[in-house]
Amino acid sequence: MAVEGGMKCVKFLLYVLLLAFCACAVGLIAVGVGAQLVLSQTIIQGATPGSLLPVVIIAVGAFLFLVAFVGCCGACKENYCLMITFAIFLSLIMLVEVAAAIAGYVFRDKVMLEFNKDFRQQMQNYRKDNHTTSALDKMQEDFKCCGAANYTDWESVPVMSKGQVPDSCCINVTKDCGVSFNVKNIYPEGCVEKIGGWLRSNVLVVAAAALGIAFVEVLGIVFACCLVKSIRSGYEVM
């Protein structure tokens, strides 16, 4: 039995939300792929939380797209079971997102400590491994920084001579500009704090986007429950 009256409006709004879910899913997959490409060019090695994050984002995006498809089929056919499945899965996704947000906030300092430790370890491999060398140079050039805390960190690297830093530390990069350098000609800030500042400056944007997605998901759950109730009432009348 087809829904009637106000439920037609609810059904239409649910279709609009499902389109929004599909757009969010595609966006998450795109962000995950982009993050994976960026991380593949950085110093992160192995199955660390940072390296697994893009995989998690891609998985959530794919699952959200699948849930949106189930919801679309359920709304189109006005199928009670499909709509119940859609509401349950969407609730699970929202709970996972909330848990991830809380975990990210709780462990934010630990993540920076791990990054600092990993950065210093990879500095010891400078010029010993081409991938690490390229990643460190690119990071220092992109974020305009030098070393972990500052340029003096390079003094503990075996392959670096005393009074030498990588050329990527120079404000104007030229060959051997890091040899017998002038402090005024290199970046004074360390990369750990510089990258941490960049992350903090973007966290509000991420938080706002997460709140927006969560709000849309709550509306989706409410509309799905309303439609489920209407479909069930129709079955009882029949």
Side-chain angles (χ1 to χ4, degrees), residues 71-106:
C72 187
C73 291
C76 182
K77 295 181 178 296
E78 296 181 9
N79 185 285
Y80 179 81
C81 291
L82 286 177
M83 291 308 302
I84 285 289
T85 302
F86 168 73
I88 292 174
F89 281 170
L90 193 58
S91 299
L92 290 175
I93 289 176
M94 192 174 69
L95 289 175
V96 169
E97 289 173 347
V98 171
I102 294 173
Y105 179 79
V106 171

